[in-house]
Amino acid sequence: MTGNELKGKWDLCLDFIRDNVSKNVFDTWFSVTQPVSMDKGELTVQVPSPFVYEFLEQNCIDVIKAALTKVFGKGTKLMYSILTDKENNINQNLSSANTLSNNIKGTADTGNKAPTVNDAPLVQDLNPQLDPNYSFENFVEGVSNKLARTAGEAIALNPATTTFNPLFIYGSSGVGKTHLVTAIGRRVKELHPEKRVLYVSAHLFMVQYVDSVKNNTINDFIHFYQTIDVLIIDDIQEMAGQTRTQNTFFHIFNYLHLNHKQLILTSDRPPKDMKDLEERLITRFKWGLVAELERPDLNLRKDILRDKTKRDGLEFPEPVIDYIADKVRDNVRDLEGVIVSLMAYSTIYCREIDLNLTHEVIEKSQHHEQKPITIESIIAKVCDYYNIDEQSIQTKSRKHEIVQVRQISMYLAKKYLDYSTSKIGAYIGKRDHATVLHACNMVRDQIQVDKNFKADMENIESGLRC
């Protein structure tokens, strides 16, 4: 295929994409692309920076694949040629992660299907489910994460032979827990390719467990997980209140630990603060190292911003870096979000990235940003509204005002959170699912007949959404 023919076909792809995305998206992310080559069903497209590559992969891959199928035919593979060094015109070639994922066999992530012994492939065929974007190389070290990172590197060198087994990492959302444990898993695979490494969220583990119970394959489910050499469970706190799942995980944990396999766990809180988790599990979580990932300090925030912009082929003035680091303090995810927003605003509105634009972007994001609603924030808001001590609703007290606060908390948790009634009951007063259903019905009925109560509920919900 000649260069003109290739360009003509890519223009047809762009025409298709233009009809299926907004003008801003097309002008910002697709107008800067150009075809490089087409060889043996593999199309290579050049993009100007890793930043553009990441955006296309994360947000536009479906429409790109549809365009390729329409113009080039079914089965066309996508490659990116990324300009990583503008001065020396150096490019890096990367496959579309989404294209590759369709060709990987032997994955343990089978949707709602529980893995079984028959699903346990050879080491070289097992998909460890490790995000290729997370590595030690782009995990910026600072005082707030030094202990956990150092332990992780030691584990990667010699899994299950250090005293850090299990490694339990905790911290608030966005501080880098998933990044770090993924980096550990990837380094293990690099240094010990014979090891069976698997990353799985606690939510997916629970879904697979329920599936195995329904299909009467629970033994196969357990046996599959017992074949893993390095098991990484993310957000282990989500198992709270799930007694049967916890019991199954306890047996898997024991087997792996006794057979000198490495366990790595993450949570949003330390083991001692985990409610509705079996004491025998909490005890085992503390056998190895419990390490906190704290919110990044000022110097680390600056280093993260410099590293992120450099990797994306961007150049931010130092005063802009200082301003962002000073204003955005909570977590790494927010810092990276500001970079994305700045790039989008700069490209779409043809504005220079300076302090004025940075101030505007941060003001808008902080003004419109809504903190996530959690069961803890619901309990705190309701108890504060009625001036009730939070601990009182966890007691067996039948005082009217305490029962009412407990019922309202249950109602709001059911309304705003994707929790089962059993899980809500476990969190609030250790009640069963029938009590939660009764509470929800009582609150719902009172809203219909009591105007003052309805006004109270509207005030509480308004406060939750702020």
Side-chain angles (χ1 to χ4, degrees):
M1 184 180 297
T2 67
N4 287 336
E5 290 174 336
L6 178 59
K7 185 179 184 306
K9 282 184 171 291
W10 181 243
D11 286 343
L12 291 175
C13 289
L14 293 180
D15 288 340
F16 176 88
I17 293 169
R18 186 184 289 106
D19 291 337
N20 288 277
V21 300
S22 69
K23 184 178 185 301
N24 282 342
V25 169
F26 183 85
D27 291 344
T28 304
W29 307 107
F30 288 98
S31 62
V32 295
T33 64
Q34 56 182 331
V36 175
S37 64
M38 180 68 181
D39 183 40
K40 297 180 180 178
E42 186 174 271
L43 174 68
T44 301
V45 176
Q46 187 176 64
V47 295
S49 73
F51 178 74
V52 176
Y53 158 74
E54 289 180 9
F55 182 90
L56 294 178
E57 279 289 282
Q58 294 173 10
N59 300 280
C60 304
I61 192 61
D62 289 338
V63 70
I64 294 174
K65 288 164 67 175
L68 295 183
T69 300
K70 179 179 178 65
V71 177
F72 288 94
K74 189 174 181 180
T76 302
K77 295 182 180 180
L78 177 62
M79 289 284 293
Y80 296 91
S81 179
I82 305 170
L83 187 60
T84 56
D85 188 334
K86 297 179 182 178
E87 292 183 4
N88 300 303
N89 197 32
I90 297 175
N91 290 270
Q92 177 187 12
N93 292 328
L94 288 178
S95 299
S96 168
N98 291 278
T99 301
L100 286 178
S101 64
N102 294 332
N103 299 323
I104 294 175
K105 296 180 180 180
T107 174
D109 184 356
T110 53
N112 290 348
K113 178 178 178 292
T116 67
V117 171
N118 294 328
D119 290 326
L122 298 175
V123 174
Q124 62 268 29
D125 294 328
L126 176 67
N127 182 357
Q129 301 297 310
L130 299 169
D131 191 324
N133 295 312
Y134 292 153
S135 67
F136 279 119
E137 285 70 29
N138 59 23
F139 185 87
V140 183
E141 182 178 312
V143 175
S144 62
N145 60 36
K146 186 175 180 60
L147 173 62
R149 180 195 171 106
T150 302
E153 290 179 323
I155 288 170
L157 286 174
N158 295 291
T161 63
T162 71
T163 56
F164 312 138
N165 193 21
L167 174 63
F168 189 102
I169 298 174
Y170 72 95
S172 57
S173 176
V175 296
K177 300 186 297 295
T178 301
H179 187 154
L180 180 56
V181 298
T182 301
I184 297 171
R186 290 188 61 198
R187 182 65 61 81
V188 170
K189 289 300 295 180
E190 292 169 5
L191 300 176
H192 308 277
E194 78 284 358
K195 298 287 187 183
R196 292 172 57 80
V197 179
L198 180 63
Y199 166 94
V200 63
S201 67
H203 174 74
L204 178 59
F205 183 91
M206 290 188 290
V207 170
Q208 292 176 343
Y209 167 75
V210 170
D211 183 69
S212 72
V213 172
K214 289 180 180 177
N215 294 314
N216 197 29
T217 57
I218 185 65
N219 288 334
D220 284 346
F221 171 80
I222 293 173
H223 291 157
F224 173 85
Y225 274 96
Q226 288 175 341
T227 68
I228 305 302
D229 296 307
V230 179
L231 179 60
I232 303 169
I233 304 284
D234 209 356
D235 292 321
I236 194 69
Q237 77 278 355
E238 292 193 8
M239 287 191 189
Q242 306 297 315
T243 304
R244 291 192 295 175
T245 305
Q246 289 180 39
N247 185 57
T248 301
F249 180 66
F250 171 80
H251 293 298
I252 292 172
F253 183 106
N254 264 3
Y255 180 90
L256 294 178
H257 197 274
L258 288 171
N259 286 276
H260 308 292
K261 309 298 183 182
Q262 180 70 49
L263 291 124
I264 302 172
L265 312 166
T266 77
S267 173
D268 62 359
R269 69 204 72 175
K272 64 182 181 65
D273 293 340
M274 300 183 77
K275 298 178 180 178
D276 301 307
L277 214 64
E278 291 189 20
E279 186 61 34
R280 58 179 182 171
L281 271 179
I282 294 175
T283 299
R284 281 159 175 76
F285 292 166
K286 295 186 287 187
W287 275 355
L289 174 67
V290 176
E292 180 181 8
L293 281 189
E294 302 173 16
R295 288 186 172 89
D297 60 21
L298 179 62
N299 289 331
L300 180 55
R301 295 197 297 273
K302 290 181 181 180
D303 289 342
I304 290 170
L305 289 166
R306 294 188 189 103
D307 179 77
K308 174 66 176 172
T309 53
K310 181 180 178 181
R311 284 189 286 111
D312 287 341
L314 310 173
E315 292 184 11
F316 280 16
E318 198 62 24
V320 169
I321 295 287
D322 292 342
Y323 185 81
I324 298 172
D326 180 61
K327 296 298 182 181
V328 184
R329 304 178 180 182
D330 284 344
N331 58 61
V332 179
R333 194 172 296 138
D334 289 346
L335 291 171
E336 295 184 340
V338 170
I339 294 175
V340 173
S341 297
L342 273 173
M343 279 302 301
Y345 272 83
S346 174
T347 304
I348 293 170
Y349 298 109
C350 298
R351 292 183 59 181
E352 182 182 353
I353 295 177
D354 56 16
L355 282 176
N356 288 333
L357 179 59
T358 305
H359 175 76
E360 289 178 26
V361 168
I362 290 178
E363 283 296 306
K364 289 179 180 179
S365 65
Q366 289 184 342
H367 178 73
H368 293 292
E369 186 176 288
Q370 178 178 319
K371 291 184 178 180
I373 296 175
T374 65
I375 199 160
E376 289 84 4
S377 66
I378 289 172
I379 293 172
K381 182 62 67 175
V382 177
C383 289
D384 180 65
Y385 190 84
Y386 287 101
N387 197 26
I388 295 290
D389 180 67
E390 289 184 33
Q391 292 302 317
S392 64
I393 69 168
Q394 305 295 351
T395 67
K396 295 183 178 180
S397 173
R398 300 301 302 169
K399 290 183 178 179
H400 172 72
E401 61 271 22
I402 294 176
V403 170
Q404 183 181 46
V405 168
R406 189 186 295 131
Q407 290 180 336
I408 292 172
S409 298
M410 290 176 175
Y411 169 82
L412 293 174
K414 185 64 179 173
K415 180 175 180 178
Y416 286 100
L417 305 176
D418 188 22
Y419 284 8
S420 66
T421 51
S422 296
K423 190 171 184 178
I424 293 171
Y427 268 107
I428 304 175
K430 295 185 178 181
R431 276 16 183 215
D432 58 24
H433 72 97
T435 302
V436 177
L437 288 174
H438 174 72
C440 292
N441 290 332
M442 289 289 291
V443 173
R444 193 178 297 111
D445 292 344
Q446 192 169 351
I447 289 174
Q448 298 296 322
V449 300
D450 188 334
K451 291 183 178 179
N452 291 330
F453 182 75
K454 182 179 180 181
D456 287 340
M457 291 298 297
E458 289 173 350
N459 289 333
I460 294 171
E461 292 187 60
S462 176
L464 274 177
R465 293 191 292 266
C466 289

